[in-house]
Amino acid sequence: MGIQDIIEGKKQWRAHVARVKALPPDYQIVYKEMQKYLFKVGPVDLAGGGLLPGIVDFFEEGVAAGKGVLALIGNDVAAFCDDLIKDSRTYADVYQESISAKPGTDQK
């Protein structure tokens, strides 16, 4: 990764943050909670993938339609996030694979 890649990544992240800040306050609160949750348990490709920008797209559509954020995702933010990443490889998966792949461990 060169310096240009780092600079471009920062530009993209700043543009992303600006989009989040343009959302209504209730959407911003829920987005930040989702982001915290996904950074803890989320998929391995979270930083490079389109999940977070996709959430912002979804929220912008909800705002345009005049819907409240909880009308879009429901009352359980964690369950909504889990559903988003259900088919993604997570850091927990990587850890589980690393301990089961060690010689001398017998997983039956």
Side-chain angles (χ1 to χ4, degrees), residues 40-104:
K40 286 181 186 174
V41 301
V44 174
D45 63 351
L46 181 62
L51 181 61
L52 294 177
I55 292 169
V56 176
D57 292 341
F58 180 60
F59 280 6
E60 288 171 340
E61 291 172 13
V63 170
K67 295 183 178 179
V69 67
L70 296 181
L72 291 177
I73 68 163
N75 291 326
D76 191 342
V77 175
F80 182 80
C81 290
D82 288 341
D83 195 44
L84 286 176
I85 63 170
K86 67 182 174 199
D87 296 326
S88 301
R89 191 165 178 244
T90 65
Y91 287 107
D93 297 332
V94 171
Y95 176 72
Q96 188 62 41
E97 291 166 8
S98 73
I99 62 172
S100 63
K102 288 184 180 180

